[in-house]
Amino acid sequence: MLKLFRLDQIERRLFIDKSFVKLTYTFFFLFLSTFIFGQAKQIEILNTRTLKKSRGQTKEFVRLIGDVRMSHEGALMFCDSAHFFPKSNSIIAYQNVHINQGDTLHLYGDKLNYNGNTKQIDIRGNVRLRDPDLELTAPSLQFDRNTNLGYYTNGANIIGPSQKLWSQRGLYNSNNDMLQFKDSVVLVTDNYTVRSDTMLYHSESEQTWFYGRTVISGKNGDIYCKKGYFNALRETSWFVDSVFIYNESQLIRGDSIFYDQKREFGKVYDNVLLRDTAEGYEVTGAFAHYKESSSYAFVTGNPIYSLNVDGDTLHLNGDTLLTYRNNDTAERFLKVYYNVKIFKSDFQGRCDSLFYSEIDSTFHLYESPILWTGTNQMTSDNMDLKLRNGNMDSLFMTGNAFLMSETEEVLYDQIKGKNMYGKFVENELQRIFVSGNGQTVYNAYDENEVLLGINRADCSDLEIRVQDNKIDRIIFLVKPDATLYPVEDIPEGEKRLKGFRPRYDERPTRSDIFQ
């Protein structure tokens, strides 16, 4: 059973160029130990068709020709021919070389250099290493039988149960089925391709760790990260350090991301960004759950929903944000809970909670909603802001609707009614209709724009014209009960309508949203 380590623990175990240096020192001390602790067991010749004693320039050796078989400390060696050096207890094998160790590890190649004292293997030419979980092919391979470590430096292909991999350099540990890869690593499966600088792979459990700049390309998009982990059997992944997941229309970004491929479910941690360019919105926050199939996202940590509205951006902020899509109708929904703030360059608001439905393209504001546009402040029990073709279209204020406007004078223009309906033109509020129990207090001017006083009027239904986000005209749709009070004679009780409460100091700014 593979012992699992944390990523930082595995990273400390990760081989780099120094690993090969360490192997060299290992070979050197193993060689010395032969003389300190005694001579290693001699290589045994099991079979050959022809045996000839020969002498080279410096050494005597035995030529073995035809169906050569040898044995050494638990390993069987096969080849077409070989040179055996008894004094150095070493062999050079040629053609159809095959080494079988423990009935599980098989090594093939064209030429073999093997030292029986140090138990070091150097095999070259069409090298193939095979164990129950993988097959490795390479131009050359070095293998230490003492530690069961093999390494290559001239590139290799590895084929696993469901994966193919190539790298320039690598280290194979047959004790625990762990492989380490370095330089231009490419991992290919049926569903994705991984390109990385460094990678660890456990063949039995099909677990993969990757380090350095990594790009994962799949059928549904690409992933970029600097560190990660993937379990092929469970189909779960961890991506760490500046992670980006993107396709043609969507982007997910975070400091780290966990993803369950079977459930199409993920978790994003820190500096979260979920962007849908096709829909024209994005969500940011500190933590997110998301489900790919339904575009479900649950975001906390100062979540912000930003929507493109005719070249401008509408931002929504609250304690918790939830967006999802109906699987049957494909319409998208948005919910923002508690302490909701709304910001657009010419439009701001607050409420306790908010709900948006793509079915009617309407934002529903609940619990003491308030909106500001220009010098106007609007409040009611409930508010609905409707979009049309991505632009603000209309505003519905139901229950105790109240509109006030700051002026340069000492008074506020005020309009109150049971319900109000506002109409936007090119994203600017231009008309407001009051329905039921209409009351007004507004400054009255003469033709020279000199303040005459205030006009206090009651009228069940009326229309308000807005220009440059200021009240321009009030039109009474039925006969009003109106009184004009001169500036110096305004009764104290007529200056304020019931429910008057300026809240301009609560008006959110951009810095309040992006705190």
Side-chain angles (χ1 to χ4, degrees), residues 201-220:
Y201 173 65
H202 187 258
S203 58
E204 182 179 1
S205 63
E206 296 189 54
Q207 295 182 85
T208 305
W209 296 262
F210 34 88
Y211 301 83
R213 183 180 182 273
T214 301
V215 178
I216 304 169
S217 302
K219 297 178 181 178
N220 298 322

Side-chain angles (χ1 to χ4, degrees), residues 76-88:
L76 293 175
M77 305 179 192
F78 308 85
C79 62
D80 289 352
S81 62
H83 292 172
F84 174 48
F85 300 85
K87 288 186 178 181
S88 62

Side-chain angles (χ1 to χ4, degrees), residues 2 10 13-15 129 131 133-137 141 149-152 156-161 165 167 169-182 185 198-204 207-209 211:
L2 173 68
I10 293 172
R13 290 164 169 79
L14 182 65
F15 86 96
L129 182 149
D131 72 12
D133 299 308
L134 63 85
E135 181 174 281
L136 180 151
T137 59
L141 178 74
L149 293 178
Y151 69 95
Y152 58 88
N157 287 291
I158 296 93
I159 299 176
L165 186 143
S167 72
R169 292 182 291 158
L171 180 66
Y172 167 70
N173 188 337
S174 64
N175 296 312
N176 56 16
D177 298 313
M178 181 67 78
L179 294 96
Q180 302 175 359
F181 308 103
K182 183 75 176 177
V185 184
T198 303
M199 186 179 299
L200 277 74
Y201 173 65
H202 187 258
S203 58
E204 182 179 1
Q207 295 182 85
T208 305
W209 296 262
Y211 301 83

Side-chain angles (χ1 to χ4, degrees), residues 224-227 239-244 254-257:
Y224 169 86
C225 66
K226 295 181 181 178
K227 192 184 300 182
F239 307 111
V240 183
D241 198 351
S242 303
V243 186
F244 292 84
D255 287 356
S256 62
I257 296 178

Side-chain angles (χ1 to χ4, degrees), residues 241-244 252-257 268-273:
D241 198 351
S242 303
V243 186
F244 292 84
I252 300 173
R253 185 196 69 199
D255 287 356
S256 62
I257 296 178
V268 188
Y269 299 87
D270 298 322
N271 295 312
V272 174
L273 170 65

Side-chain angles (χ1 to χ4, degrees), residues 1 61 83 128 152 156 185 195 284 299 310 380 412 433 459 474 501 504:
M1 191 68 169
F61 61 91
H83 292 172
R128 183 161 54 97
Y152 58 88
V185 184
R195 291 177 172 82
T284 60
V299 188
D310 192 34
S380 64
Y412 289 84
F433 298 91
C459 180
I474 299 177
R501 182 189 169 192
Y504 291 92

Side-chain angles (χ1 to χ4, degrees), residues 401-417:
F402 200 116
L403 183 151
M404 68 176 66
S405 180
E406 287 182 310
T407 67
E408 296 178 357
E409 312 300 338
V410 293
L411 300 175
Y412 289 84
D413 289 337
Q414 303 158 57
I415 302 167
K416 180 182 178 183

